[in-house]
Amino acid sequence: QVQLVESGGGSVQAGGSLRLSCSVSGRLSGVVMGWFRQAPGKEREFVAVINTNGDKTYYGDSVKGRFNISREAFKNTIYLQMDSLEPEGTAAYVCCAQKNAGIYYSSASYEFWGQGTQVTVSS
């Protein structure tokens, strides 16, 4: 059984930083991995994605220049370094993975999901 497990969430003041991690347990290879976030009462929002060997990344407009996604080539552990956090970034951050080359910014493209880790940014 494949599981995605996130860690690293917490509370931080505006302008601070956090680093999230996501690891895959179980047999799963060759997957694109990424992060979405969801705040109460809002739709799930694309944050970032990274390809299998870690050399291509894409970011949502609201986090460009402040967040960085990374992974060791061909390993199923990814990281999300979040800098200059804003109160609007308060949300559950959820790790995801897809085996097919689906639309990277659409949550419907991802087959595997973690439980999420809460990030709270206070002003």
Side-chain angles (χ1 to χ4, degrees):
Q1 184 177 357
V2 173
Q3 286 187 315
L4 277 63
V5 180
E6 305 99 333
S7 62
S11 297
V12 65
Q13 289 192 324
S17 299
L18 283 173
R19 187 181 193 229
L20 306 182
S21 300
C22 174
S23 297
V24 177
S25 63
R27 294 176 61 85
L28 187 65
S29 62
V31 290
V32 170
M33 296 184 70
W35 295 92
F36 282 73
R37 67 186 181 186
Q38 187 159 22
K42 294 188 177 181
E43 292 187 357
R44 187 167 286 185
E45 177 188 9
F46 168 71
V47 175
V49 66
I50 190 164
N51 68 342
T52 303
N53 63 3
D55 65 347
K56 290 185 179 179
T57 60
Y58 300 94
Y59 297 90
D61 289 341
S62 62
V63 306
K64 281 180 183 176
R66 299 186 298 114
F67 288 14
N68 184 69
I69 188 171
S70 61
R71 78 191 287 179
E72 295 180 52
F74 302 105
K75 291 190 177 181
N76 288 343
T77 298
I78 63 171
Y79 307 94
L80 185 68
Q81 177 65 40
M82 305 185 295
D83 297 324
S84 302
L85 281 161
E86 302 169 342
E88 293 75 17
T90 295
Y93 285 70
V94 189
C95 178
C96 54
Q98 61 162 301
K99 299 193 72 175
N100 303 310
I103 300 173
Y104 65 84
Y105 54 81
S106 171
S107 61
S109 298
Y110 296 84
E111 306 108 296
F112 306 98
W113 293 88
Q115 294 295 313
T117 184
Q118 180 66 34
V119 171
T120 301
V121 185
S122 58
S123 57

